[in-house]
Amino acid sequence: MVVVSKAIIRLADVSFSYEGAEERALQGVSFTVEKGEFLSIIGHNGSGKSTLAKLLNGLLLPSEGKIEVNGIPTADDAHIWEVRKVVGMVFQNPDNQFVAPTVEDDIAFGMENIGVPPVDMEARIQDALEQVNMTGFRTAEPNRLSGGQKQRVAIAGALAIQPAVLVLDEATAMLDPRGRKEVLEVVQRMNREAGMTVIQITHYLEETLDSDRIIVMDGGRLVGEGTPESVYQQVDWLRRLGLDVPFACDLQYRLQQKGFRFSTLKMTGEGVLDSLWTSD
Ligand code: ADP
Ligand code: MG
């Protein structure tokens, strides 16, 4: 029987050094991302998360090792636009993401780059702006928008490309809690309903609780990987890496220190409370 792999991204022993830097920003990183997966990447500042994101769509190329997107090596110059079509990217700082004088032109520019037929653009712009609640800003000048609005437009631009994989590198950091929740709901819906693969890098750990898998980075290395339950059980280890844990996991951990016993890790405050009453 032929086993067909569903991996959409594959990293094999990837290392990366910035020019002139003494230490490697990434060291021997290997993992695969399955089609349709919702993956979160966590790690403290400088652990290599943004470098990793830029390697995923060929903005940076591995110094050693190999990355394949849909079987295409990112180092293959001739096919780099196919890689960019598959992997959409939104970064933390929206200010350097705009090239056109209006929101709609900016979204159209991104689509032109990957060869979306002009007849499809209108509907895609409308749809993408609806997803992020920004339809009223079609003809606005991107640079005059607030930080949060800019970031919504950047996300709309990425959605309009209809990438199979969306990488969000601290993309909601500029938004207020409500804005962050809305954007997370949009990408969760696209993941669930359209099968879009999502790779989110975030330091808001609460936003990782519904992920299929979490990858933990430290000092340029992948140091941990697993379900949210298995990762957030390791409270002492995460703290040693300079990371916190979500509220409910911390609460449960503290109660355990005081002698309470739980059969499973709860991911919500309600879950912790319920199991206290039922001695689960
Ligand atoms: P994170 O996103 O997890 O904060 P980065 O990928 O930005 O981590 O950084 C990883 C390492 O690479 C850090 O040591 C950082 O100082 C270094 N680094 C990042 N960008 C550059 C750059 N443009 N030139 C040189 N070193 C860099
Ligand atoms: Mg970063």
Side-chain angles (χ1 to χ4, degrees):
M1 196 178 86
V2 180
V3 178
V4 181
S5 166
K6 288 191 302 177
I8 192 160
I9 296 182
R10 192 181 291 279
L11 284 83
D13 213 6
V14 170
S15 296
F16 181 83
S17 308
Y18 286 99
E19 237 178 87
E22 274 177 25
E23 287 194 30
R24 290 182 161 186
L26 285 181
Q27 174 77 51
V29 176
S30 300
F31 65 91
T32 56
V33 183
E34 302 288 310
K35 241 178 217 158
E37 195 175 8
F38 196 113
L39 173 69
S40 294
I41 302 179
I42 62 173
H44 70 79
N45 282 344
S47 59
K49 305 180 301 297
S50 293
T51 305
L52 182 56
K54 288 177 190 146
L55 282 155
L56 294 179
N57 77 344
L59 282 175
L60 296 175
L61 298 176
S63 311
E64 280 168 39
K66 190 173 178 186
I67 302 180
E68 285 178 351
V69 171
N70 260 348
I72 305 169
T74 56
D76 178 354
D77 271 353
H79 296 98
I80 189 63
W81 287 110
E82 281 171 54
V83 168
R84 300 259 163 92
K85 215 175 190 166
V86 176
V87 184
M89 189 90 60
V90 183
F91 293 106
Q92 179 168 18
N93 183 354
D95 281 331
N96 19 12
Q97 303 190 33
F98 301 109
V99 291
T102 65
V103 164
E104 58 185 0
D105 289 345
D106 199 83
I107 297 174
F109 180 78
M111 288 192 280
E112 267 166 36
N113 267 338
I114 57 144
V116 174
V119 291
D120 293 343
M121 287 189 185
E122 168 60 33
R124 286 209 198 182
I125 292 172
Q126 185 63 26
D127 190 45
L129 287 174
E130 264 168 31
Q131 301 274 8
V132 296
N133 255 332
M134 286 291 285
T135 42
F137 295 85
R138 266 188 85 131
T139 55
E141 194 183 319
N143 291 322
R144 299 182 85 101
L145 300 175
S146 72
Q149 291 169 331
K150 283 180 187 167
Q151 204 54 313
R152 283 161 199 265
V153 172
I155 291 165
L159 292 176
I161 289 168
Q162 298 180 351
V165 183
L166 182 64
V167 180
L168 300 159
D169 182 4
E170 310 261 9
T172 60
M174 304 276 298
L175 304 183
D176 58 19
R178 193 167 138 229
R180 283 211 305 277
K181 187 161 177 277
E182 280 172 15
V183 169
L184 181 65
E185 280 168 4
V186 170
V187 291
Q188 284 176 332
R189 195 176 65 234
M190 304 281 292
N191 172 253
R192 226 174 24 242
E193 292 173 8
M196 187 174 75
T197 307
V198 177
I199 302 176
Q200 70 157 353
I201 295 170
T202 181
H203 61 263
Y204 296 105
L205 301 181
E206 311 287 335
E207 296 179 358
T208 66
L209 293 177
D210 294 326
S211 309
D212 295 312
R213 186 163 52 125
I214 295 178
I215 279 180
V216 186
M217 298 294 298
D218 185 56
R221 294 173 188 271
L222 189 162
V223 294
E225 185 175 1
T227 59
E229 287 81 358
S230 68
V231 169
Y232 291 132
Q233 240 158 27
Q234 306 173 67
V235 174
D236 291 327
W237 173 69
L238 288 167
R239 296 235 159 98
R240 280 200 300 278
L241 298 180
L243 291 168
D244 217 339
V245 291
F247 168 75
C249 307
D250 182 43
L251 178 63
Q252 185 168 355
Y253 177 78
R254 288 170 190 227
L255 288 166
Q256 276 168 336
Q257 303 291 302
K258 294 200 182 300
F260 287 92
R261 291 282 162 262
F262 297 87
S263 58
T264 55
L265 183 70
K266 309 295 178 216
M267 304 305 267
T268 63
E270 288 85 0
V272 175
L273 288 176
D274 280 353
S275 57
L276 284 179
W277 306 142
T278 58
S279 14
D280 165 19

